[in-house]
Amino acid sequence: MMFLEQKYHLMFCFFLALLPFASVGQSHKNISLGSSHTAQAGNSTWAVSPSGNFAVGFQQIEENGFLLSIWFNQIPERTIVWSANGGNLAPKGSKVELTSDGFFLLNDPTGNRIWSAGSSGSGTSHAAMVDTGNFVLASQSTEYLWQSFDHPTDTILPGQVLNQPSTLVSRYLETNYSSGRFKFILKDDGNLALYTTQYPWSSSNFNYWSTHTSGSDFSLVFNQSGVLFLRANNGSIISMISSKTASTQDFYQRAVLEYDGVFRHYAYPKSSNSNTRSWKMAWSTVYYLPPNICLDIREDYGSGACGFNSYCTFDDGKKSCHCPSGYSFIDPADVMKGCRPDFDSQSCDGSSPETDLFDFYEMENTDWPLTDYEYFEQANEDWCRQDCLSDCFCALAIFRDAGCWKKKLPFSNGRKDPSFQAKALLKIRKDNSTSKCEGPVRKKDQSKLIIVISVLLSSSVLMNLLLLVAGFSVVYWWRSKSSKANQPSQSIVGTCLRSFTFEELRKATNGFEEVLGQGAFSTVYKGVSFDPTWSHIAVKKLNNMVKENEEEFKTEVSTFGRTNHRNLIQLLGFCNEGDHRMLVYEFMSKGSLASFLFDTTERPSWFQRMQIALETARGILYLHEECSTQIIHCDIKPQNVLLDESFTAKISDFGLAKLLKIGQSRTNTGIRGTKGYVAPEWFRNMPITIKVDVYSYGVLLLEIICCRRSFEANAENENQMVLTDWAYDCFHERKLDLLVKDDKEALADMKMVEKYVMLSLWCIQEDPLLRPSMKKILQMLEGSIDVPAPPDLPSLITTISL
Ligand SMILES: *[C@@H]1O[C@H](CO)[C@@H](O)[C@H](O)[C@H]1NC(C)=O
Ligand SMILES: *[C@@H]1O[C@H](CO)[C@@H](O)[C@H](O)[C@H]1NC(C)=O
Ligand SMILES: *[C@@H]1O[C@H](CO)[C@@H](O)[C@H](O)[C@H]1NC(C)=O
Ligand SMILES: *[C@@H]1O[C@H](CO)[C@@H](O)[C@H](O)[C@H]1NC(C)=O
Ligand SMILES: *[C@@H]1O[C@H](CO)[C@@H](O)[C@H](O)[C@H]1NC(C)=O
Ligand SMILES: *[C@@H]1O[C@H](CO)[C@@H](O)[C@H](O)[C@H]1NC(C)=O
């Protein structure tokens, strides 16, 4: 029926288009006194404008929430341009009517007046929905007594003129129409400006864009060509806001102060013709203000463009808010509420300063300006770090140009922008793995046990045919019957693994389009995220399945699902549907350590490399000593260390990992790992212990120091081909500088190079018992204990080849 009605209006429109501007009198859509409309599902429309472009009535926003509003009536997207009652919803059964007293009234189901417009005794004779999108109460002589154009909410339409003073208020959220946090005001003094508000109060807080004009009798005009300007009463243009045009003949247009604080002019093709061919049939942005909201809002009070503790990025006209590592959104559905730390803050109890329990998460091009509590000039970065670390108030330090700014929680005005030359050092608790999986989802009324078999297959191959070992596993997945599995943010943020459908992942990866990596038994694809915390995800699609001891693997994945450490890649979810087995991980935008070290023309900085060595060690230490079950990774190599946006190292690929039961310290298993990184005991039929990872780490550390692969077939000369041998030679001949030839930064830090090389040589001792534990390694890396000289004859056996 709606469809027929629309068709009818279209025909109407055809005739009306031949007429000059249709005044209310000529409109065939008069709403007479006494007419009413009730909020109900299925029929939203009270009246339609003659052309059918606009309609007024009740839009159903929630199950029992209706919004008296005006909307674009000929496009599929719901686009509300005006709403009554401050954007607040009215319950089902509420009624809007044009009373004989001349009021335009909104009553709740019991007949109480919630909202009204117009005034009694003003001579209203009828109302009409006009083709411009204006809803008017008119007198017998068709004079407008009240019009929605004089009472705008967040939108201005072509033909609409706002007189001094006028205000547009953004909505709270995209689909919550109550008053939000931003305002666009044409002030009494003649200035037109965008403001943040002292939410929940409506008072203006901070002006983040303005025309800097002054005068009286100014009007903001949005004319039929889509041009937006400030006009004086003598007709001269005071300020051009947007001169970009789109003709009203070909396009629906609106300019709206959106909930994110950006004022955008949108256009939507009315039909496909030669003028609109290059446009999508959707709302496209013509113009927006301010140029970069993330940078333009910088206020002394309030959180800035995003919520407290979050940071803002502005890309392609789109503003996004993010939580830094170690923080998560208080309310993922309302990101402006900010982020909270996932860890307990540093104790200020003088007797246990906890200094060594904290570390920094580094963020380049990021700043939280203003609200510092301390500032030091002529500091260096190390000093800045140390000072913040030992100060329990300090939650964040900003380092730039020898300046060190210290901040307490909460941080405000967060932004990340390439133009920005500051480095943020965010203090987070080190090994506090925020064990998200022990959160409420698991503990809640568990009514259903779903056993998910998912296969973790490695992407590495050991000596071609030898390695056919693959891991696979079973996840016990408790899912609360009542929880809505399909609400993405709910089950992910701060909780547990999510179960995906194949269709969801196919969509997220755009039909498995972009391949990130390929292994023997799996392929990894890039996908868009379902959760605002991450912009992208990595989907590992397993293309083979080997069934082994079910019990063992059940334990395996239930453990990995729970590992959650800053230096381990995070498993976000999985798909187990029919033949499809997929694992969903956080996306690591900077790729693998292998490509970082070996595939770049410019050598990565020494400091950054040392940082990665440290972080990788922390990840392995967590697996070895800090999980409830001891885990041997078995395949530590630079391809399996991935780097996130801020170059934080995260260990990935647990496909070959082994779990040791409580009390067990060794295990026997088939050969796992990758040539060049595997410890000698693999070939000796010796029991396998966590020390195999220490061996691989030693090789990796040498690669990080030297920025070269462990095996280089076309090295300058033969004795340089195998890195471990060469490092050993250099160490013994006291020619360590050869290892870091051409590396100015490392050459300036030879003490450290020596220390790290000695440590590597300890790690690659043939006798596993001689190799230090990861805990010792970390202490040596951090400098809390010295590295002793390695034994004289380590009898390196790295030249094994099969
Ligand atoms: C609409 O109302 C006005 C004023 O009462 C009247 O002049 C006009 O004829 C009406 N139009 C129609 C189509 O009823
Ligand atoms: C919808 O409601 C309006 C006003 O109450 C009424 O005129 C119209 O006939 C209704 N349409 C349908 C399809 O029921
Ligand atoms: C919209 O947001 C406000 C402020 O948080 C809240 O009070 C109101 O209930 C929300 N309305 C809807 C329909 O969710
Ligand atoms: C809109 O304003 C611009 C700038 O003043 C002008 O060039 C254009 O003709 C106007 N369009 C209409 C339809 O009045
Ligand atoms: C129109 O008014 C503006 C501001 O009031 C003034 O600057 C301008 O000179 C006036 N222009 C004319 C032609 O009077
Ligand atoms: C983080 O560590 C602190 C102190 O060690 C502990 O009290 C807290 O429970 C930990 N938080 C989580 C989420 O594990």
Side-chain angles (χ1 to χ4, degrees), residues 268-283:
Y268 192 120
K270 287 187 174 171
S271 64
S272 199
N273 65 30
S274 56
N275 295 334
T276 63
R277 193 163 296 139
S278 63
W279 294 66
K280 268 195 301 205
M281 288 308 267
W283 287 110

Side-chain angles (χ1 to χ4, degrees), residues 600-655:
T600 48
T601 46
E602 203 174 319
R603 192 196 315 271
S605 88
W606 172 245
F607 182 77
Q608 205 162 29
R609 275 144 60 205
M610 292 309 102
Q611 205 59 31
I612 289 170
L614 198 64
E615 287 169 347
T616 309
R618 283 195 189 121
I620 304 173
L621 174 65
Y622 175 80
L623 295 176
H624 287 183
E625 295 183 23
E626 288 163 11
C627 290
S628 47
T629 313
Q630 198 168 41
I631 299 166
I632 312 178
H633 185 282
C634 293
D635 201 14
I636 297 290
K637 58 176 178 178
Q639 288 76 11
N640 286 344
V641 176
L642 303 182
L643 303 173
D644 76 1
E645 185 58 23
S646 55
F647 294 97
T648 301
K650 295 185 190 238
I651 297 171
S652 74
D653 208 332
F654 299 93

